[in-house]
Amino acid sequence: MPQVMVVARNFMDMVAALPAAKLDMLYDSAFICEAVLRSFPPLAKKYVIQMLYVSAPMPAAAMQEWVLDEYASKHKVAIDRLLQLRVFVEVRDRRKEVSYKMNNKFQANMQKYLVSGGCLPREPLPFNVTARLPTLVELENYALEQWECFLLQLINSSQVEKGTTFSSSMMKTFQRGLLSSRDGEAAKLSENGFQFLLMETNAQLWYIMREYISSAEERGVDPTDLISFLLELSFHTQGAAYSLSTLTEVQRIAVMDLMELGLVKLQQGRKDSWFIPTKLATNLSSSLSDSAASKEGIVVVETNFRLYAYSASKLHCEILRLFSRVEYQLPNLIVGAITKESLYGAFDNGITAEQIISFLQQNAHPRVIDKIPIVPENVTDQIRLWENDRNRVEMILSHVYEDFPSKDMFEQCCDHARDNGYLLWEDAKKMRLIVSGEFHQEMREFLRRQR
C-alpha cells in the first residue's frame, strides 16, 4: 500500500510557508489580517485580542501563566501557530529570555479595522447595471456542476459534456500530482488521484488551489499576489456582481481560471462584464473543520454489503465504481455491492480501507446518519480484513543461488551477503541462499573473485 497520502492544507498553511518578507507584504491588507485571525484556534485568537494594543514585548513566562496547567498543550499550539504566521515575533533580551511582540503591520491594520471597519477595493455593481443575477440556489447548482465537470474530466475526459472542456494548460496545472503517464500512453489517475476523489469537496478545492499557487511562478505570476487575491475573494458577498474592470491583469486571469472550477460565474452586460463569487470562493479562508459544510448524504450500506446511493450524478456513480461493483443505475438511484474483487482493485490503485470507510460515513444518507455505527460493523471489519489480507505478503525482487562447489564458498557468500544486509534466506544443509535483487550484480562479482 502507498505510504504517501494526499494531504489537504488550507490557505493558512500556504501563507505560513511564504518567506518572511512576502508574508509581511500580505499584512498590508486588513482583510488578509482578518482572514489570518479567523483561521486561528480559539486560544490564539484570544492572545491576539489581548495583545492588540500592547506595544511592548510580552515575556513568554508571563503568557504561560494566562492558562491553567492542563491547557499547556493548547497554549503551545496557539503560540506555535502565531509564530508560524509571523503574527507574533520572538524577541530575546540580554538575559536570553524569550518574549513575544506582535507584528507591527498586522497590529496597525487590525487596530484600524477594529475601530473603523474595512472596505474591499471594489464594491458590488448596482442592480440597474447588472442583468438578472442568478439566485443563491442557481449559483450553488452552477458551482456544483462546474466542479463535477472538472472531476469527471479528471477521471475520464470522454464523460464531460461538450462545451465544458477546460483549457489544456490549466488542466495540467489542476491535475498536477493526480495523473501519471508513461511514454506513448494516455494519462491515468495516479494513487494520489484516486485518494483525491474520495476527499471532501473543500479538501479537494484546497489541494487544487495549493497546486495552482505553487505553479504560479512558472506562469510568471508572484504567488503572493495570488494568495492575496484569493483571500480577498473570500470576503466578497456570495451572489453579488463585481466589475471585471476593477481587477488587475493577474487577477483577471485568475478569475477566468477560477470560473472553470465553479468558484466564480461570469456574466456579460451591454457595457460591462462582471464576476459573481460562489460559495466555493467565499469558503476559501475558512478552516477545514469550519467549511466542511453539512451536505445531505446519499449512501446507504446494508449488512449484506449491498450499497444504495440516492443520486442522479454521473460523478457519484464513477466515484462508487472506484471501490464497489455498480450493478445498475436508475434515474435517481445507483445500486451496487462491495465485493472482494472491487476492493482489491481499489487497493491496487492506492486507496486505503480507512479512506473508503470514511467516505461511506461522510456521505451517509440522512436516514442512517444517526445510527451507531453509520456503516454496519461487519462491513467495515471485512473491508479492513481484506486490506490486511493484501498486505500479508510483500513482494521483493530477489535472486536464489545454489549448486555451490564447496561448503567454504557457500559460507563465504552467506557471510558477505549478511555483512552487507542483503541476505534474505539461507539453507546450510542444501547450500542455497537468497539475496535482494539490488545486490545481485555485486554478488556475481564476489563469486568471480572467489573462483
Side-chain angles (χ1 to χ4, degrees), residues 158-407:
S158 65
Q159 296 183 30
V160 183
E161 300 293 336
K162 292 182 179 179
T164 58
T165 54
F166 300 89
S167 62
S168 59
S169 60
M170 289 318 303
M171 281 304 293
K172 288 178 182 177
T173 298
F174 293 146
Q175 295 171 348
R176 177 178 297 198
L178 302 179
L179 296 178
S180 61
S181 60
R182 297 178 181 176
D183 295 338
E185 293 184 7
K188 296 180 180 179
L189 279 172
S190 64
E191 291 182 353
N192 284 352
F194 284 106
Q195 295 174 24
F196 171 83
L197 291 171
L198 296 188
M199 291 163 63
E200 283 284 342
T201 300
N202 282 290
Q204 291 174 337
L205 176 63
W206 283 326
Y207 179 90
I208 295 298
M209 287 296 100
R210 185 184 68 190
E211 297 301 325
Y212 183 57
I213 291 169
S214 64
S215 65
E217 291 183 345
E218 298 173 12
R219 305 190 303 274
V221 177
D222 187 342
T224 309
D225 293 339
L226 262 185
I227 292 176
S228 177
F229 175 64
L230 291 169
L231 285 176
E232 182 186 290
L233 189 61
S234 68
F235 286 92
H236 287 58
T237 304
Q238 180 186 348
Y242 297 88
S243 175
L244 286 174
S245 62
T246 62
L247 303 177
T248 66
E249 186 61 27
V250 169
Q251 293 171 346
R252 192 186 296 266
I253 294 172
V255 163
M256 299 301 292
D257 295 335
L258 298 177
M259 176 197 66
E260 295 182 338
L261 292 176
L263 274 75
V264 296
K265 182 179 177 66
L266 296 185
Q267 282 189 337
Q268 176 71 50
R270 290 181 180 178
K271 296 182 179 180
D272 201 358
S273 301
W274 53 84
F275 67 93
I276 307 167
T278 69
K279 191 175 182 180
L280 290 177
T282 55
N283 277 343
L284 281 176
S285 66
S286 306
S287 68
L288 186 59
S289 56
D290 291 339
S291 62
S294 54
K295 63 178 181 179
E296 190 171 286
I298 59 168
V299 179
V300 175
V301 182
E302 295 185 336
T303 54
N304 60 0
F305 293 83
R306 299 284 289 177
L307 181 148
Y308 302 91
Y310 293 85
S311 172
S313 167
K314 291 181 182 179
L315 177 63
H316 291 153
C317 185
E318 292 306 313
I319 289 177
L320 292 174
R321 286 186 200 277
L322 297 178
F323 59 86
S324 66
R325 184 186 68 223
V326 175
E327 297 177 346
Y328 50 89
Q329 185 175 6
L330 301 177
N332 65 341
L333 178 67
I334 303 166
V335 181
I338 298 174
T339 66
K340 185 177 182 179
E341 292 75 19
S342 64
L343 285 175
Y344 274 17
F347 299 150
D348 286 341
N349 288 325
I351 301 174
T352 67
E354 292 306 321
Q355 287 172 332
I356 293 170
I357 294 169
S358 176
F359 175 83
L360 295 173
Q361 292 170 340
Q362 291 170 359
N363 292 274
H365 193 276
R367 289 291 182 91
V368 298
I369 196 69
D370 294 327
K371 290 186 177 181
I372 300 177
I374 297 173
V375 180
E377 199 167 11
N378 70 306
V379 175
T380 57
D381 287 347
Q382 189 61 62
I383 291 173
R384 293 188 179 103
L385 284 171
W386 278 331
E387 182 183 46
N388 291 337
D389 189 50
R390 294 274 294 175
N391 295 336
R392 284 189 305 173
V393 178
E394 183 180 0
M395 304 297 289
I396 299 175
L397 181 64
S398 56
H399 291 268
V400 60
Y401 294 85
E402 55 187 353
D403 299 330
F404 286 91
S406 67
K407 186 78 170 177

Side-chain angles (χ1 to χ4, degrees), residues 132-152:
R132 190 190 79 83
L133 297 179
T135 65
L136 292 182
V137 173
E138 290 172 340
L139 205 58
E140 188 168 350
N141 290 338
Y142 162 81
L144 180 62
E145 182 182 338
Q146 287 293 106
W147 188 252
E148 287 195 357
C149 281
F150 164 69
L151 294 181
L152 277 173

